[in-house]
Amino acid sequence: MSISVLDLFKIGIGPSSSHTIGPMRAAHDFAAELDARQLTGSVSRIEARLYGSLSATGIGHGTDHAVIVGLMGQRPDEVDPDFIAPAVAEVRQTASLRLGGTHALPFHWDRDMRLLPVSLPYHPNALKLIAHGDTGVVYENTFYSIGGGFVIDEAQAAADAGLVPQTALRHEFDSAAELLAICKKQSLRISEVMLENELAWRSEDETRAALLQIWAAMRSCVARGIEQQGVLPGGLKVRRRAHALHEKLSGLEHGRNFISDTLAALDWVNLYALAVNEENAGGGRVVTAPTNGAAGIIPAVLHYYMNFHPGSDEADVVDFLLTAAAIGTLCKKNASISGAEVGCQGEVGSACAMAAAGLTQIMGGTPEQVENAAEIGLEHNLGLTCDPVAGLVQLPCIERNAMASIKAINAAQLALRGDGSHAISLDQVIRTMRDTGRDMLDKYKETSRGGLAVNFTEC
């Protein structure tokens, strides 16, 4: 399985990479396949079936809306977030959908958008799309949204083909131990290993430019999140807090002057994380890092460094994201980054480990210290459940990102104060996350049937 840094960091929309971005990609690809097979004109109706976690929390995560606009030819990295609500409202009102944006066909919501409370064997996030013609089924396919916006179809799942086609990399590694061995043998930093691997897909200049585009999207998300006010959609009446917090911090005389002013700095870290995840909860444009539910952690920690560390520059951004991606790749390969599969330890835990590793790298850490920081960040998120109240990525998700951002910074600090040697390896913790996820009851894995989701009482 070959995973690029740009597979882990993707520009999309909120509120969920697995429940919004993935299904929109699947629906878009389904419509495109119909067009490629010259079948669009013979389709008389489309049926969408959501299974497992997509069925349980799909409404709160906007899965149904994502499928509709995907069938209309929209991609998550290109769609205007303001397009979605009016487009869906029109489909509901007119009972008509334009397949691929051109071919009008009837779409009756109660009949054609089906939520089925059963799980398919391959993955709990499953979506089946069926194109009906006048004489029967024209084409159908089943898709699995396996976390972080990654999607595979039925054929890939049956062949266990993985997320993306296998690509030969300059430095192949499937474990942190192998990665550290490469760094030692080649006298490379982890970011350098990753940058050389990215040559399998594009030039070094193209990779750097793409990562700076990712960083620009993260900065835009923070800026927009700080500007917005009011109540988040969904009915929980969760108020946005980033704007008011920003006003308070901006009024402090030394709010962001010194990285050594720890409490002041951490106030700003909280702000960055809240801003991103409030934007995500509101359906705004975010970057999967590696998922939407955990999208605030890496931007918050990177903002912390760039805004508080003297002499920080764009090269640090590239090194941070490349190093973080190395850790995310290991989590994805050897466990999961899907909350529906292993709980929030796979989303927030992985993001915390990635952020801790990236920060340690650009603070001058050795490969061993980077691995240690990632291990600390992930180890202390083991067992974290995914229990969003009402299926919305708001409670406890928004604050959870702020807490994990602080934890990532402390993990980096602990690792940098050591020499890289430690008792428990990152590989062991990733395996533990995988095993813990398998043992975790389904009600704690993004179904909103346990934990805070059922113990929360509205006043």
Side-chain angles (χ1 to χ4, degrees), residues 361-381:
Q361 171 85 60
I362 58 178
M363 290 290 287
T366 65
E368 290 76 16
Q369 289 172 318
V370 169
E371 185 264 355
N372 187 194
E375 179 272 323
I376 295 170
L378 184 56
E379 178 184 347
H380 299 290
N381 281 287

Side-chain angles (χ1 to χ4, degrees), residues 14-38:
S16 172
S17 50
S18 59
H19 286 58
T20 314
I21 293 178
M24 190 183 297
R25 285 185 60 192
H28 169 274
D29 293 350
F30 183 81
E33 184 64 21
L34 286 171
D35 187 59
R37 293 174 181 237
Q38 299 182 333

Side-chain angles (χ1 to χ4, degrees), residues 82-375:
D82 293 331
F83 167 83
I84 297 173
V88 171
E90 183 177 353
V91 171
R92 282 185 176 274
Q93 182 179 1
T94 64
S96 176
L97 180 152
R98 288 194 173 272
L99 181 61
T102 58
H103 179 57
L105 68 162
F107 190 91
H108 299 281
W109 207 277
D110 292 341
R111 179 193 67 183
D112 298 325
M113 182 65 69
R114 302 181 60 191
L115 277 63
L116 304 173
V118 294
S119 292
L120 300 188
Y122 184 79
H123 195 278
N125 291 335
L127 161 68
K128 178 174 247 185
L129 295 169
I130 307 170
H132 297 273
D134 293 337
T135 59
V137 173
V138 173
Y139 176 68
E140 65 179 84
N141 203 349
T142 300
F143 300 87
Y144 299 94
S145 182
I146 54 180
F150 289 95
V151 176
I152 62 175
D153 66 10
E154 188 69 31
Q156 291 172 306
D160 198 23
L163 314 181
V164 291
Q166 184 67 31
T167 301
L169 304 179
R170 181 170 296 184
H171 305 291
E172 298 279 1
F173 63 90
D174 291 316
S175 68
E178 292 176 1
L179 175 58
L180 291 178
I182 291 169
C183 291
K184 184 175 182 179
K185 181 177 181 180
Q186 303 292 334
S187 297
L188 295 172
R189 298 186 302 159
I190 289 176
S191 60
E192 292 170 332
V193 171
M194 292 295 290
L195 189 59
E196 291 190 4
N197 280 350
E198 291 298 310
L199 294 173
W201 290 282
R202 70 197 77 81
S203 70
E204 179 177 328
D205 287 345
E206 289 172 324
T207 294
R208 290 183 180 277
L211 290 176
L212 292 178
Q213 184 180 11
I214 292 294
W215 172 231
M218 289 178 174
R219 287 188 287 114
S220 295
C221 184
V222 168
R224 180 171 169 78
I226 288 173
E227 292 174 0
Q228 300 302 306
Q229 302 181 63
V231 175
L232 292 168
L236 291 178
K237 300 180 181 179
V238 174
R239 297 195 63 83
R240 289 178 180 258
R241 289 183 286 173
H243 180 82
L245 179 57
H246 182 256
E247 287 191 333
K248 289 180 181 178
L249 297 182
S250 297
L252 296 177
E253 183 178 352
H254 62 284
R256 53 168 293 171
N257 288 345
F258 305 101
I259 197 169
S260 59
D261 187 356
T262 306
L263 293 180
L266 296 189
D267 277 336
W268 285 87
V269 174
N270 285 330
L271 169 67
Y272 303 141
L274 292 176
V276 171
N277 286 88
E278 287 173 357
E279 269 301 282
N280 180 61
R285 188 166 301 287
V286 299
V287 176
T288 64
T291 67
N292 282 33
I297 299 164
I298 285 173
V301 175
L302 189 48
H303 271 79
Y304 163 79
Y305 179 86
M306 296 298 288
N307 290 344
F308 286 85
H309 195 278
S312 60
D313 58 25
E314 290 183 341
D316 293 321
V317 172
V318 173
D319 284 350
F320 182 107
L321 294 177
L322 286 168
T323 305
I327 304 306
T329 294
L330 292 173
C331 292
K332 183 65 187 170
K333 281 184 174 183
N334 298 313
S336 176
I337 57 172
S338 168
E341 195 168 17
V342 296
C344 204
Q345 59 175 351
E347 297 199 33
V348 163
S350 295
C352 181
M354 293 167 69
L359 182 59
T360 303
Q361 171 85 60
I362 58 178
M363 290 290 287
T366 65
E368 290 76 16
Q369 289 172 318
V370 169
E371 185 264 355
N372 187 194
E375 179 272 323

Side-chain angles (χ1 to χ4, degrees), residues 427-445:
D427 291 326
Q428 291 170 325
V429 175
I430 291 175
R431 286 196 297 272
T432 303
M433 176 174 72
R434 178 198 64 196
D435 296 342
T436 302
R438 288 175 178 171
D439 293 339
M440 191 180 291
L441 296 176
D442 286 344
K443 68 180 183 178
Y444 298 119
K445 294 192 285 189

